[in-house]
Amino acid sequence: LKIVVLISGSGSNLQSIIDAIEEKKLNAKIECVISDREAYGIERAKKHNIKTYLFNRKELKKNLFNEIEKVISNDIDLIILAGFLSIVSSEFIKKWENKIINIHPSLLPKFGGKGMYGMNVHRAVVENKEIESGCTVHFVTNEIDGGEIIAQKKVPVYEKDTAEDVQKRVLEKEHELLVEAIKILEKDKKKR
Ligand code: GRF
């Protein structure tokens, strides 16, 4: 399975894919890692000799995905948004329909949509006195966090939890969930 990973931050989700591949738990190859800003995740890719591309979302603005498009070869099987914070253009989604997945740190459809990313999600979960949260891997469509759900994992939320407590508990599950979701899609690809 040929994959491309898009990041914007620390890249701990990227790291979980790298580790799974190196431990032979995932039969895939990361063709390249693409970031829309300076990100520690780029260092993680470099450490594993994975090709990286850095784009400047502030300069490129609406042109970001036209530039990203140029570095993704047509034989890519899966494009993974892993802690990626820019909105994907509708042209890009149209071209790569059903080959783009995203990992989101809540049990979608709850706590998803515009502005719901990173700590905002966990703060909302705590403020809402939720007794559970979790993470979701879904296909990317033009509706932010609205595409078909592939897999989810749940975590308990305790009364004394801070948003950071929830974030830490969810992030650990994200690392497992993302690899499991890629495996599900790899099996599907084999079937087709
Ligand atoms: C985290 O908030 C994670 O929940 C979301 O993106 C953020 C950073 O992830 N998916 P990463 O460590 O950059 O993979």
Side-chain angles (χ1 to χ4, degrees):
L1 202 69
K2 290 173 177 264
I3 59 180
V4 164
V5 185
L6 275 60
I7 62 166
S8 298
S10 73
S12 70
N13 279 300
L14 163 66
Q15 189 67 55
S16 64
I17 301 171
I18 292 171
D19 295 347
I21 291 172
E22 294 192 348
E23 290 158 14
K24 307 260 182 285
K25 290 179 188 153
L26 188 58
N27 177 18
K29 182 172 185 298
I30 301 174
E31 297 298 328
C32 69
V33 168
I34 297 169
S35 183
D36 64 351
R37 68 197 79 185
E38 287 296 336
Y40 179 64
I42 294 173
E43 303 316 310
R44 293 183 194 260
K46 285 182 174 166
K47 237 180 256 161
H48 293 266
N49 305 314
I50 298 167
K51 196 164 185 42
T52 60
Y53 294 97
L54 169 57
F55 293 101
N56 186 322
R57 69 194 236 289
K58 286 210 171 85
E59 280 166 17
L60 291 170
K61 295 188 174 54
K62 286 264 172 280
N63 219 13
L64 174 63
F65 273 89
N66 292 339
E67 292 306 307
I68 289 177
E69 179 70 67
K70 292 175 186 167
V71 302
I72 298 182
S73 53
N74 283 329
D75 63 345
I76 290 298
D77 297 306
L78 194 59
I79 297 168
I80 302 169
L81 310 185
F84 186 71
L85 297 175
S86 292
I87 300 299
V88 184
S89 72
S90 49
E91 297 82 10
F92 188 85
I93 289 172
K94 192 162 175 50
K95 166 157 188 181
W96 293 97
E97 193 83 42
N98 290 332
K99 288 192 174 174
I100 317 170
I101 64 172
N102 178 48
I103 183 158
H104 179 80
S106 79
L107 293 174
L108 291 175
K110 293 174 90 170
F111 304 104
K114 194 144 182 54
M116 289 308 276
Y117 54 83
M119 286 315 290
N120 300 354
V121 173
H122 308 300
R123 269 193 287 276
V125 162
V126 168
E127 272 152 38
N128 231 41
K129 300 195 181 333
E130 297 290 324
I131 56 162
E132 66 177 17
S133 190
C135 44
T136 305
V137 176
H138 62 95
F139 285 107
V140 172
T141 62
N142 284 316
E143 187 194 348
I144 297 178
D145 297 330
E148 179 198 344
I149 289 174
I150 299 163
Q152 294 189 302
K153 273 190 184 294
K154 289 186 178 180
V155 297
V157 178
Y158 305 107
E159 219 167 307
K160 60 170 183 25
D161 274 341
T162 63
E164 285 69 22
D165 295 327
V166 179
Q167 193 252 355
K168 194 170 162 299
R169 203 171 299 134
V170 169
L171 193 56
E172 271 171 39
K173 287 292 175 198
E174 285 181 52
H175 299 156
E176 297 167 21
L177 182 68
L178 188 49
V179 172
E180 285 173 24
I182 298 168
K183 277 188 184 159
I184 291 169
L185 297 176
E186 192 206 357
K187 285 194 189 68
D188 282 358
K189 179 174 180 283
K190 278 204 184 103
K191 263 188 250 149
R192 267 180 230 152

Short mmCIF file of all heavy atoms in Angstrom, two decimals, residues 24-61:
data_model
loop_
_atom_site.label_atom_id
_atom_site.label_comp_id
_atom_site.label_asym_id
_atom_site.label_seq_id
_atom_site.Cartn_x
_atom_site.Cartn_y
_atom_site.Cartn_z
N LYS A 24 6.89 -4.36 10.94
CA LYS A 24 6.21 -5.31 10.04
C LYS A 24 4.76 -5.61 10.45
O LYS A 24 4.23 -6.68 10.16
CB LYS A 24 7.02 -6.63 9.94
CG LYS A 24 8.48 -6.44 9.56
CD LYS A 24 8.72 -6.72 8.07
CE LYS A 24 10.19 -6.58 7.69
NZ LYS A 24 10.59 -5.15 7.63
N LYS A 25 4.18 -4.64 11.17
CA LYS A 25 2.75 -4.82 11.54
C LYS A 25 1.84 -4.25 10.45
O LYS A 25 0.64 -4.45 10.45
CB LYS A 25 2.46 -4.11 12.87
CG LYS A 25 3.10 -4.79 14.07
CD LYS A 25 2.79 -4.03 15.34
CE LYS A 25 3.58 -4.59 16.54
NZ LYS A 25 3.80 -3.53 17.55
N LEU A 26 2.45 -3.47 9.56
CA LEU A 26 1.67 -2.82 8.50
C LEU A 26 2.46 -2.96 7.19
O LEU A 26 3.64 -2.58 7.12
CB LEU A 26 1.51 -1.33 8.86
CG LEU A 26 0.58 -0.47 8.01
CD1 LEU A 26 -0.83 -1.04 7.99
CD2 LEU A 26 0.58 0.97 8.55
N ASN A 27 1.81 -3.53 6.19
CA ASN A 27 2.49 -3.73 4.90
C ASN A 27 2.20 -2.52 4.02
O ASN A 27 1.26 -2.53 3.21
CB ASN A 27 1.96 -5.02 4.27
CG ASN A 27 2.58 -5.24 2.89
OD1 ASN A 27 3.62 -4.64 2.58
ND2 ASN A 27 1.93 -6.03 2.09
N ALA A 28 2.99 -1.47 4.23
CA ALA A 28 2.75 -0.22 3.48
C ALA A 28 4.08 0.50 3.31
O ALA A 28 5.07 0.17 3.97
CB ALA A 28 1.77 0.66 4.23
N LYS A 29 4.09 1.49 2.41
CA LYS A 29 5.29 2.32 2.23
C LYS A 29 4.86 3.77 2.24
O LYS A 29 3.93 4.14 1.52
CB LYS A 29 5.98 1.97 0.91
CG LYS A 29 7.28 2.75 0.68
CD LYS A 29 8.03 2.25 -0.54
CE LYS A 29 9.38 2.94 -0.72
NZ LYS A 29 9.27 4.42 -0.93
N ILE A 30 5.52 4.57 3.09
CA ILE A 30 5.23 6.01 3.10
C ILE A 30 6.07 6.64 1.99
O ILE A 30 7.30 6.72 2.10
CB ILE A 30 5.57 6.65 4.46
CG1 ILE A 30 4.76 5.98 5.59
CG2 ILE A 30 5.30 8.15 4.42
CD1 ILE A 30 5.15 6.45 6.99
N GLU A 31 5.43 7.02 0.89
CA GLU A 31 6.17 7.59 -0.26
C GLU A 31 6.72 8.97 0.08
O GLU A 31 7.81 9.33 -0.36
CB GLU A 31 5.24 7.67 -1.47
CG GLU A 31 4.73 6.33 -1.97
CD GLU A 31 5.86 5.40 -2.44
OE1 GLU A 31 6.88 5.91 -2.94
OE2 GLU A 31 5.73 4.17 -2.26
N CYS A 32 5.94 9.74 0.84
CA CYS A 32 6.45 11.05 1.27
C CYS A 32 5.58 11.60 2.40
O CYS A 32 4.44 11.16 2.59
CB CYS A 32 6.51 12.05 0.12
SG CYS A 32 4.90 12.58 -0.48
N VAL A 33 6.17 12.56 3.13
CA VAL A 33 5.43 13.27 4.19
C VAL A 33 5.36 14.73 3.76
O VAL A 33 6.36 15.30 3.32
CB VAL A 33 6.16 13.14 5.55
CG1 VAL A 33 5.59 14.11 6.58
CG2 VAL A 33 6.04 11.69 6.05
N ILE A 34 4.18 15.30 3.85
CA ILE A 34 3.96 16.68 3.40
C ILE A 34 3.46 17.50 4.58
O ILE A 34 2.54 17.08 5.29
CB ILE A 34 2.90 16.72 2.28
CG1 ILE A 34 3.41 15.95 1.05
CG2 ILE A 34 2.52 18.14 1.92
CD1 ILE A 34 2.33 15.70 0.00
N SER A 35 4.07 18.68 4.79
CA SER A 35 3.60 19.55 5.88
C SER A 35 3.24 20.92 5.32
O SER A 35 3.82 21.39 4.33
CB SER A 35 4.70 19.71 6.94
OG SER A 35 4.18 20.49 8.02
N ASP A 36 2.25 21.55 5.96
CA ASP A 36 1.80 22.87 5.49
C ASP A 36 2.46 23.99 6.29
O ASP A 36 2.09 25.17 6.15
CB ASP A 36 0.27 22.98 5.55
CG ASP A 36 -0.25 22.88 6.99
OD1 ASP A 36 0.55 22.56 7.91
OD2 ASP A 36 -1.44 23.14 7.18
N ARG A 37 3.40 23.60 7.18
CA ARG A 37 4.13 24.59 8.01
C ARG A 37 5.31 23.87 8.66
O ARG A 37 5.40 22.65 8.59
CB ARG A 37 3.21 25.14 9.09
CG ARG A 37 2.80 24.12 10.16
CD ARG A 37 1.60 24.58 10.93
NE ARG A 37 0.38 24.33 10.14
CZ ARG A 37 -0.83 24.74 10.55
NH1 ARG A 37 -0.97 25.44 11.65
NH2 ARG A 37 -1.90 24.47 9.81
N GLU A 38 6.23 24.66 9.29
CA GLU A 38 7.35 24.04 10.03
C GLU A 38 6.73 23.09 11.04
O GLU A 38 5.76 23.47 11.74
CB GLU A 38 8.15 25.13 10.78
CG GLU A 38 9.00 26.01 9.88
CD GLU A 38 10.11 25.20 9.18
OE1 GLU A 38 10.50 24.14 9.71
OE2 GLU A 38 10.54 25.64 8.11
N ALA A 39 7.21 21.87 11.12
CA ALA A 39 6.59 20.90 12.05
C ALA A 39 7.62 19.87 12.48
O ALA A 39 8.43 19.42 11.66
CB ALA A 39 5.43 20.20 11.35
N TYR A 40 7.59 19.49 13.76
CA TYR A 40 8.53 18.51 14.26
C TYR A 40 8.36 17.17 13.52
O TYR A 40 9.31 16.43 13.32
CB TYR A 40 8.35 18.29 15.78
CG TYR A 40 9.32 17.25 16.31
CD1 TYR A 40 10.69 17.49 16.25
CD2 TYR A 40 8.87 16.03 16.78
CE1 TYR A 40 11.60 16.53 16.69
CE2 TYR A 40 9.77 15.07 17.22
CZ TYR A 40 11.13 15.32 17.16
OH TYR A 40 12.01 14.36 17.59
N GLY A 41 7.15 16.93 13.03
CA GLY A 41 6.90 15.69 12.31
C GLY A 41 7.82 15.51 11.11
O GLY A 41 8.14 14.39 10.71
N ILE A 42 8.31 16.65 10.56
CA ILE A 42 9.23 16.57 9.42
C ILE A 42 10.54 15.90 9.86
O ILE A 42 11.10 15.04 9.17
CB ILE A 42 9.51 17.98 8.83
CG1 ILE A 42 8.23 18.55 8.22
CG2 ILE A 42 10.63 17.93 7.79
CD1 ILE A 42 8.35 19.99 7.76
N GLU A 43 10.99 16.27 11.08
CA GLU A 43 12.22 15.64 11.62
C GLU A 43 12.02 14.14 11.77
O GLU A 43 12.92 13.35 11.48
CB GLU A 43 12.57 16.25 12.99
CG GLU A 43 12.76 17.76 12.97
CD GLU A 43 13.58 18.22 11.79
OE1 GLU A 43 14.65 17.64 11.56
OE2 GLU A 43 13.11 19.11 11.05
N ARG A 44 10.84 13.76 12.22
CA ARG A 44 10.56 12.31 12.40
C ARG A 44 10.69 11.58 11.07
O ARG A 44 11.34 10.53 10.98
CB ARG A 44 9.14 12.10 12.94
CG ARG A 44 8.87 12.62 14.36
CD ARG A 44 7.45 12.26 14.73
NE ARG A 44 6.94 12.95 15.90
CZ ARG A 44 6.87 12.40 17.11
NH1 ARG A 44 7.33 11.19 17.32
NH2 ARG A 44 6.34 13.08 18.11
N ALA A 45 10.15 12.18 10.01
CA ALA A 45 10.23 11.54 8.68
C ALA A 45 11.69 11.46 8.22
O ALA A 45 12.17 10.41 7.78
CB ALA A 45 9.42 12.35 7.69
N LYS A 46 12.43 12.57 8.41
CA LYS A 46 13.82 12.59 7.94
C LYS A 46 14.65 11.50 8.62
O LYS A 46 15.49 10.86 8.02
CB LYS A 46 14.44 13.97 8.20
CG LYS A 46 13.93 15.03 7.21
CD LYS A 46 14.58 16.37 7.43
CE LYS A 46 14.17 17.37 6.34
NZ LYS A 46 14.50 18.75 6.72
N LYS A 47 14.37 11.31 9.92
CA LYS A 47 15.11 10.30 10.70
C LYS A 47 14.94 8.90 10.08
O LYS A 47 15.79 8.03 10.23
CB LYS A 47 14.58 10.29 12.14
CG LYS A 47 15.65 10.56 13.20
CD LYS A 47 15.08 10.54 14.58
CE LYS A 47 14.92 11.95 15.13
NZ LYS A 47 13.98 12.06 16.25
N HIS A 48 13.80 8.75 9.38
CA HIS A 48 13.54 7.42 8.78
C HIS A 48 13.70 7.46 7.26
O HIS A 48 13.14 6.66 6.55
CB HIS A 48 12.14 6.94 9.19
CG HIS A 48 12.03 6.65 10.66
ND1 HIS A 48 12.21 5.40 11.20
CD2 HIS A 48 11.79 7.48 11.70
CE1 HIS A 48 12.09 5.47 12.51
NE2 HIS A 48 11.84 6.72 12.84
N ASN A 49 14.50 8.43 6.80
CA ASN A 49 14.80 8.57 5.37
C ASN A 49 13.55 8.62 4.48
O ASN A 49 13.55 8.05 3.39
CB ASN A 49 15.69 7.40 4.91
CG ASN A 49 16.93 7.33 5.78
OD1 ASN A 49 17.57 8.35 6.04
ND2 ASN A 49 17.23 6.13 6.29
N ILE A 50 12.51 9.23 5.01
CA ILE A 50 11.29 9.40 4.22
C ILE A 50 11.32 10.79 3.59
O ILE A 50 11.64 11.77 4.26
CB ILE A 50 10.04 9.27 5.11
CG1 ILE A 50 9.97 7.86 5.72
CG2 ILE A 50 8.76 9.55 4.31
CD1 ILE A 50 8.96 7.71 6.86
N LYS A 51 11.02 10.86 2.30
CA LYS A 51 11.02 12.13 1.57
C LYS A 51 10.03 13.10 2.22
O LYS A 51 8.93 12.68 2.59
CB LYS A 51 10.59 11.85 0.12
CG LYS A 51 10.89 12.96 -0.88
CD LYS A 51 10.79 12.41 -2.30
CE LYS A 51 11.19 13.46 -3.31
NZ LYS A 51 12.38 14.22 -2.91
N THR A 52 10.42 14.37 2.37
CA THR A 52 9.49 15.34 2.98
C THR A 52 9.34 16.56 2.06
O THR A 52 10.28 16.92 1.35
CB THR A 52 10.03 15.84 4.34
OG1 THR A 52 11.29 16.46 4.13
CG2 THR A 52 10.17 14.69 5.32
N TYR A 53 8.16 17.15 2.10
CA TYR A 53 7.91 18.41 1.39
C TYR A 53 7.30 19.39 2.39
O TYR A 53 6.36 19.04 3.10
CB TYR A 53 6.91 18.20 0.25
CG TYR A 53 7.44 17.32 -0.87
CD1 TYR A 53 7.13 15.95 -0.90
CD2 TYR A 53 8.23 17.85 -1.88
CE1 TYR A 53 7.60 15.14 -1.91
CE2 TYR A 53 8.70 17.03 -2.90
CZ TYR A 53 8.39 15.68 -2.91
OH TYR A 53 8.85 14.87 -3.92
N LEU A 54 7.85 20.59 2.42
CA LEU A 54 7.33 21.61 3.33
C LEU A 54 6.71 22.73 2.49
O LEU A 54 7.38 23.31 1.63
CB LEU A 54 8.48 22.17 4.19
CG LEU A 54 8.18 23.43 5.01
CD1 LEU A 54 7.00 23.21 5.95
CD2 LEU A 54 9.43 23.84 5.81
N PHE A 55 5.44 23.00 2.72
CA PHE A 55 4.77 24.10 2.02
C PHE A 55 4.40 25.16 3.05
O PHE A 55 4.19 24.86 4.22
CB PHE A 55 3.51 23.59 1.31
CG PHE A 55 3.81 22.64 0.18
CD1 PHE A 55 3.66 21.26 0.36
CD2 PHE A 55 4.26 23.12 -1.04
CE1 PHE A 55 3.95 20.38 -0.67
CE2 PHE A 55 4.55 22.24 -2.08
CZ PHE A 55 4.40 20.87 -1.90
N ASN A 56 4.34 26.41 2.58
CA ASN A 56 3.99 27.49 3.50
C ASN A 56 2.53 27.91 3.27
O ASN A 56 2.23 28.63 2.32
CB ASN A 56 4.92 28.69 3.28
CG ASN A 56 4.66 29.78 4.32
OD1 ASN A 56 3.51 30.02 4.70
ND2 ASN A 56 5.72 30.40 4.80
N ARG A 57 1.67 27.43 4.14
CA ARG A 57 0.24 27.67 3.96
C ARG A 57 -0.07 29.16 3.98
O ARG A 57 -0.99 29.64 3.32
CB ARG A 57 -0.55 26.93 5.03
CG ARG A 57 -0.38 27.50 6.41
CD ARG A 57 -0.88 26.58 7.49
NE ARG A 57 -1.86 27.20 8.33
CZ ARG A 57 -1.59 28.15 9.22
NH1 ARG A 57 -0.37 28.55 9.40
NH2 ARG A 57 -2.54 28.69 9.94
N LYS A 58 0.73 29.94 4.78
CA LYS A 58 0.45 31.38 4.91
C LYS A 58 0.69 32.08 3.57
O LYS A 58 -0.07 32.96 3.17
CB LYS A 58 1.34 31.99 5.99
CG LYS A 58 0.91 31.62 7.42
CD LYS A 58 1.27 32.75 8.41
CE LYS A 58 0.68 32.51 9.79
NZ LYS A 58 1.56 31.62 10.62
N GLU A 59 1.74 31.65 2.86
CA GLU A 59 2.05 32.29 1.56
C GLU A 59 1.11 31.73 0.48
O GLU A 59 0.55 32.47 -0.31
CB GLU A 59 3.49 31.98 1.15
CG GLU A 59 4.52 32.85 1.82
CD GLU A 59 5.94 32.29 1.64
OE1 GLU A 59 6.12 31.44 0.74
OE2 GLU A 59 6.83 32.70 2.40
N LEU A 60 0.95 30.41 0.49
CA LEU A 60 0.22 29.77 -0.61
C LEU A 60 -1.29 29.98 -0.52
O LEU A 60 -1.98 29.99 -1.52
CB LEU A 60 0.55 28.27 -0.65
CG LEU A 60 1.97 27.94 -1.06
CD1 LEU A 60 2.27 26.48 -0.83
CD2 LEU A 60 2.21 28.33 -2.52
N LYS A 61 -1.80 30.10 0.71
CA LYS A 61 -3.25 30.32 0.93
C LYS A 61 -4.09 29.36 0.08
O LYS A 61 -3.89 28.14 0.16
CB LYS A 61 -3.62 31.79 0.64
CG LYS A 61 -2.98 32.80 1.61
CD LYS A 61 -3.56 34.20 1.38
CE LYS A 61 -3.07 35.23 2.40
NZ LYS A 61 -1.62 35.32 2.51
#
